[in-house]
Amino acid sequence: VAHALRVCTLGFLAFKLLGGRFWAISPSSFTNIGSFARASIPATSKYATPSERLAIERLGRATGCHTCGSRMLFTSSPVKFHGDHMPPQAVTKQLNDKWYRKLLGIQVKQRFYPQCVPCSNKQGSILSKATNELRKMEAERNSLNFLKRFGNNLPDLQKAGGGRLAHFHGLRLRTSHLTGGVIGAMTVGSVNGERLPERDLRNGNQKRFRAIQEEIEKKLLSVLAWFDR
Ligand SMILES: [Zn+2]
């Protein structure tokens, strides 16, 4: 117990020293997996089936909306949660069309995360607006005027729901995120983009390295995810 306590204290101090703030949860982009994401179920590119919808409803009530964290406790509607495709359909299509994904023949795997109906609606409007803008830009792409203004870069749908439009969680203390932050700090080697001291990285979590070795496929997929960003 003493050892566990020491580990916890060290984790706490390390997190604090690195400028971690327990009460701040990073805002949730509407086009990415939200800060409250816990459980999810595998998804196809189709709409959720009745049995999937039931599973999502149960997950949502148990673990809350992956974007805003709400469990919809004070809503009487029988449908409180939608299965949110992650990545979203439009994002997945854009990613699957990238040359390196086509070359390797590896498609994005989507999962359903429970998302409350208000967040689901908001995400829908953000994405349809971003998709419309993208289509417009694609149509103009070959004009000289467009090239002058934007070069060859079309906007990333994945980024559409972040930034200004992201769901800001305010200053809520969530113990689960506290532990998540500490564990994250110890295993990943960085918190909020700040790197841990080199020493910690070298002694770093062997389990993590083993997992990487054992799961070459996962590694490849994460490289792809990096490309996708
Ligand atoms: Zn929500």
Side-chain angles (χ1 to χ4, degrees), residues 30 64-70 72 81 114-120 167:
F30 278 93
C65 167
H66 80 94
T67 304
C68 75
S70 168
M72 302 289 280
F81 293 93
Q115 188 176 44
C116 72
V117 173
C119 282
S120 175
H167 187 280

Side-chain angles (χ1 to χ4, degrees), residues 11 18 28 51 107 109 141 174 188 214:
L18 287 163
S28 296
S51 66
Q107 306 257 300
K109 272 189 196 129
R141 197 179 189 171
R174 303 263 314 193
V188 176
E214 282 167 6

